């Protein structure tokens, strides 16, 4: 019976650690938006008035 209990506690602890790492990672991503993945450099484009809607 103790072997089964050990497996259950191991699974509980592993799950708790996984969720802890997951939520810490998500929180860091929210706080530091573009720390490791900056947005692309986009030049400004003048508005031409053409919105590509044909047939309206």
């Amino acid at each position: 019976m103790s072997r089964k209990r050990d497996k259950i506690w191991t699974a509980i602890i592993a799950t708790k650690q996984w969720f802890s790492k997951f939520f810490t990672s998500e929180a860091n991503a929210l706080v530091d938006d573009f720390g490791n993945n900056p947005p692309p450099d986009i030049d400004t484009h003048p508005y031409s008035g053409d919105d590509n809607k044909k047939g309206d």
Side-chain angles (χ1 to χ4, degrees):
M1 194 65 161
S2 115
R3 177 97 169 125
K4 185 176 181 179
R5 187 176 299 142
D6 288 346
K7 286 184 177 183
I8 291 171
W9 277 109
T10 301
I12 291 170
I13 292 170
T15 304
K16 182 180 175 185
Q17 289 174 346
W18 184 88
F19 275 105
S20 175
K21 287 179 185 177
F22 174 74
F23 286 118
T24 301
S25 171
E26 290 299 312
N28 288 339
L30 287 174
V31 173
D32 187 15
D33 292 340
F34 301 114
N36 58 358
N37 190 16
D41 231 358
I42 302 173
D43 292 336
T44 57
H45 301 286
Y47 179 65
S48 67
D50 182 19
D51 59 0
N52 293 325
K53 289 185 180 177
K54 305 288 185 203
D56 284 342

